[in-house]
Amino acid sequence: MSVWVPYRLEGVLAPLATRDDILVWDGKTEPTHDPGDVRFYVQPYTFDRNTVEIIAEMPNLEVVQTLTAGVDHIAPAVPDGVILANARGLHDASTSELALGLILASQRNIDGYVRDQDQGTWNFSKHPSLADRRVTIVGYGSIGRAIHRRLEPFEVEVTAVASRPREGVRGVDEIFEILPSSEIVVLVVPHTGETERMVDTRFLAAMPDDSLLVNVARGVIVDTAALLAEGGRIRAALDVTDPEPLPRDHPLWSRPGTIITPHVGGNTNAFLPRALRLIGDQVTRWMKGEPIDNIVPRAG
Amino acid sequence: MSVWVPYRLEGVLAPLATRDDILVWDGKTEPTHDPGDVRFYVQPYTFDRNTVEIIAEMPNLEVVQTLTAGVDHIAPAVPDGVILANARGLHDASTSELALGLILASQRNIDGYVRDQDQGTWNFSKHPSLADRRVTIVGYGSIGRAIHRRLEPFEVEVTAVASRPREGVRGVDEIFEILPSSEIVVLVVPHTGETERMVDTRFLAAMPDDSLLVNVARGVIVDTAALLAEGGRIRAALDVTDPEPLPRDHPLWSRPGTIITPHVGGNTNAFLPRALRLIGDQVTRWMKGEPIDNIVPRAG
């Protein structure tokens, strides 16, 4: 019986790596061990279908651990009775710091100064601080809270919005009362039927002049046509777009007051050490017979 | 006897504004009131010499309050026996958030993506997170601590360095032990004989490959020739330069891995509300006969 992990367990996790029942498979080659022996499977961080399809060859499987927060890509392949655990929190640091970077770059005109720099132009000019701004975080899961923690020392007023209201969090049904005083709106909702194109003409029209819309969720949360039609009364900073990747001739590239990064929220060297910690913690818990974290509730 | 302030005292300070001995002079026109009556003078936030020279016409002066942290420009004009108070803390929010913006822009390649955007290029690429980095703050006064507070939620390891060691702060005499493990170095020291060109060839050589130097202090803290000679092994993000403004044809504009902003650390709308609070607090204390804050110790 074996545990399959996609990386050698190094550093603080080295003790686990000495066990001969912990085997490494990164999903890029044919497995060198028998999938029939696998009881705990950590899916490699790739969207290659073979890392999903191999589950059918694992009759003794007890746990599937993903390295993604969403599990839509793998859930249908996980048999009833097998525990499915996600990587909630794994991408928080990387994605939330990009959100802060996009906010600060737009507020303080860093994009404008980069273009000035290429012209050799010293263009002393005044721009809005982040300090004193009213910031609304739409979507208040793990990454939303990570953005909130990072915003706290910046002397801002934060409003958290989620699908259902709770202590300290307002319900999305109040969004049109909240938007008119929101100087910065950060989108970090999951993609669902309710959130798809939730940022439409009416949503954008409710935001104040020169406010900033930040999207680190999914491109389809924003109606691209509505954002283009809006013209530039509000600024935008988008790590995700619809369509994606954005074609070379797409008008969004040159929308006034817009910063675009190519869906790199999670793509940093913050990933690997956090992935190793998560894997080590989960495998250790399972070996000790303790409950593992991040279990995804499953229908049926 | 009167108090001269450079702005109408509005908002929370409105009660003070109703007093007929509080007069507004912004330094841009001839005074409409007699300087001979002034006992408390808030210097307008400008470097126009007339706002310094007018002190000679104030024989009843008791307090000079600046809106700058440094007072070198005005101290020689303030007579013995007159209290001189600075604006320590006033620029913390604006300058420290720019430091964070420059760090995040450089770590996460926002400058590169702005250039890609202008070409319509979706260039998915991996860059270093701020999370997990070892950050050294050189200069640990009011702004240095404000930067530290803002860095804390980002999962970094911060080392504070000041001219003299104290609890939680290392002395600058240890800098060459600290630099080899510093992935980000933020300069926020005052300009003194000791700090001028402290970042020289030896300092830069001690920093690791692909580390980042951030200067939000003064341009002359960095030896520009040494930074240019270094070539690009380390990245740089500079809000201040030497010379300043940087001439159009200066080679620093096109140094690889470099972001330049035009000395805009303090130039945001965070200034006015904080200036009004400082002025209101200090004038109120003085009127009540209480000691005022931020008194600058004076020789002689």
Side-chain angles (χ1 to χ4, degrees):
Chain A
M1 291 300 149
S2 62
V3 174
W4 279 15
V5 297
Y7 309 107
R8 290 202 311 126
L9 297 177
E10 296 173 331
V12 291
L13 305 175
L16 273 182
T18 61
R19 298 183 54 118
D20 60 7
D21 54 354
I22 299 194
L23 306 170
V24 176
W25 182 56
D26 66 5
K28 291 171 192 159
T29 55
E30 285 297 303
T32 52
H33 300 277
D34 181 4
D37 287 339
V38 176
R39 289 169 60 199
F40 192 118
Y41 171 51
V42 182
Q43 190 204 11
Y45 186 56
T46 148
F47 289 92
D48 288 345
R49 286 299 302 168
N50 66 320
T51 68
V52 172
E53 288 159 2
I54 200 166
I55 290 172
E57 300 169 39
M58 296 178 171
N60 290 300
L61 193 61
E62 296 176 17
V63 181
V64 172
Q65 170 71 55
T66 67
L67 297 178
T68 54
V71 294
D72 299 359
H73 64 292
I74 197 168
V78 178
D80 287 350
V82 172
I83 291 170
L84 175 59
N86 70 10
R88 178 185 173 82
L90 179 54
H91 302 276
D92 291 3
S94 188
T95 304
S96 62
E97 72 176 47
L98 182 67
L100 267 287
L102 289 171
I103 291 170
L104 287 165
S106 182
Q107 292 297 109
R108 302 299 295 267
N109 190 45
I110 292 177
D111 55 328
Y113 294 135
V114 167
R115 294 184 173 103
D116 289 339
Q117 183 177 343
D118 288 347
Q119 306 297 319
T121 302
W122 185 272
N123 182 20
F124 183 74
S125 50
K126 187 167 177 173
H127 295 277
S129 56
L130 171 54
D132 304 339
R133 299 287 82 76
R134 288 181 295 268
V135 184
T136 299
I137 302 172
V138 184
Y140 205 61
S142 182
I143 299 178
R145 290 196 299 276
I147 293 171
H148 193 166
R149 280 197 301 279
R150 284 161 177 75
L151 280 169
E152 264 171 350
F154 283 89
E155 305 178 25
V156 292
E157 188 184 311
V158 175
T159 302
V161 176
S163 50
R164 288 181 305 276
R166 50 189 191 265
E167 169 102 35
V169 182
R170 295 176 69 178
V172 73
D173 54 333
E174 295 181 76
I175 192 72
F176 287 99
E177 293 157 45
I178 297 165
L179 287 175
S181 61
S182 299
E183 298 169 285
I184 299 171
V185 175
V186 184
L187 305 171
V188 63
V189 289
H191 176 202
T192 67
E194 283 72 43
T195 62
E196 187 166 317
R197 297 203 169 80
M198 72 179 283
V199 180
D200 55 9
T201 301
R202 181 182 172 212
F203 189 109
L204 294 168
M207 291 175 63
D209 287 354
D210 197 41
S211 57
L212 171 65
L213 177 73
V214 178
N215 191 359
V216 291
R218 287 290 179 266
V220 290
I221 310 304
V222 177
D223 180 336
T224 299
L227 185 62
L228 285 167
E230 188 273 348
R233 189 183 60 85
I234 67 165
R235 289 172 285 126
L238 313 171
D239 185 47
V240 289
T241 60
D242 175 30
E244 191 172 298
L246 206 57
R248 187 172 295 268
D249 57 355
H250 198 283
L252 202 53
W253 287 119
S254 54
R255 183 185 179 276
T258 303
I259 301 175
I260 295 173
T261 56
H263 203 151
V264 289
N267 199 31
T268 70
N269 58 3
F271 172 77
L272 188 58
R274 285 166 181 72
L276 291 175
R277 271 203 294 275
L278 173 70
I279 295 167
D281 289 351
Q282 296 281 67
V283 170
T284 302
R285 283 188 193 103
W286 178 75
M287 284 178 163
K288 289 183 180 168
E290 296 172 1
I292 66 167
D293 277 349
N294 300 353
I295 294 177
V296 180
R298 309 186 66 201
Chain B
M1 290 302 147
S2 62
V3 173
W4 278 16
V5 298
Y7 308 106
R8 289 201 313 124
L9 297 177
E10 295 173 332
V12 291
L13 305 174
L16 274 182
T18 61
R19 298 181 55 117
D20 61 7
D21 54 354
I22 299 193
L23 306 171
V24 176
W25 183 56
D26 66 5
K28 291 171 192 159
T29 54
E30 284 298 301
T32 52
H33 299 278
D34 180 3
D37 287 339
V38 176
R39 288 168 62 199
F40 192 116
Y41 171 51
V42 181
Q43 189 203 11
Y45 186 56
T46 147
F47 289 92
D48 289 345
R49 287 298 303 168
N50 67 321
T51 68
V52 172
E53 288 159 3
I54 200 165
I55 291 172
E57 300 169 42
M58 297 177 171
N60 290 302
L61 193 61
E62 296 177 18
V63 181
V64 172
Q65 170 71 55
T66 68
L67 297 178
T68 54
V71 293
D72 299 357
H73 64 292
I74 198 169
V78 179
D80 288 350
V82 172
I83 290 170
L84 176 59
N86 70 11
R88 178 186 173 81
L90 178 54
H91 301 277
D92 291 4
S94 188
T95 304
S96 62
E97 73 177 46
L98 183 66
L100 268 286
L102 290 171
I103 290 170
L104 287 165
S106 182
Q107 292 299 107
R108 301 300 295 267
N109 191 44
I110 292 177
D111 54 328
Y113 294 134
V114 167
R115 294 184 173 103
D116 289 340
Q117 184 176 344
D118 288 349
Q119 306 298 319
T121 302
W122 185 273
N123 182 20
F124 183 74
S125 50
K126 187 167 177 174
H127 295 277
S129 56
L130 171 54
D132 304 339
R133 299 286 81 76
R134 288 181 295 267
V135 184
T136 298
I137 302 172
V138 184
Y140 206 62
S142 183
I143 298 177
R145 290 195 299 277
I147 293 172
H148 192 165
R149 279 197 302 279
R150 282 162 179 75
L151 280 169
E152 263 169 352
F154 283 89
E155 306 178 25
V156 292
E157 187 185 311
V158 175
T159 302
V161 176
S163 50
R164 288 181 305 276
R166 52 190 190 268
E167 169 102 35
V169 182
R170 296 177 69 178
V172 74
D173 55 332
E174 296 181 74
I175 192 72
F176 286 99
E177 293 158 46
I178 297 165
L179 288 174
S181 62
S182 300
E183 298 169 285
I184 299 171
V185 175
V186 184
L187 304 171
V188 62
V189 290
H191 177 202
T192 66
E194 284 71 43
T195 62
E196 187 166 317
R197 297 202 170 80
M198 72 178 283
V199 180
D200 55 10
T201 301
R202 182 182 171 213
F203 188 110
L204 295 167
M207 291 175 63
D209 287 354
D210 197 41
S211 58
L212 171 64
L213 177 73
V214 178
N215 191 359
V216 291
R218 286 290 179 266
V220 291
I221 309 304
V222 177
D223 180 336
T224 299
L227 185 62
L228 286 168
E230 188 273 348
R233 189 183 61 86
I234 67 166
R235 289 172 286 125
L238 312 171
D239 185 47
V240 289
T241 60
D242 175 30
E244 192 171 297
L246 207 57
R248 186 172 295 268
D249 57 355
H250 197 285
L252 202 54
W253 287 119
S254 53
R255 182 185 180 277
T258 303
I259 301 175
I260 295 172
T261 57
H263 202 150
V264 289
N267 198 33
T268 69
N269 58 1
F271 173 77
L272 188 58
R274 286 165 182 73
L276 291 175
R277 270 203 296 273
L278 173 70
I279 296 167
D281 289 351
Q282 295 282 65
V283 170
T284 302
R285 283 187 194 103
W286 178 75
M287 284 175 162
K288 289 183 179 169
E290 296 172 1
I292 66 168
D293 277 349
N294 299 353
I295 294 177
V296 180
R298 309 188 65 201

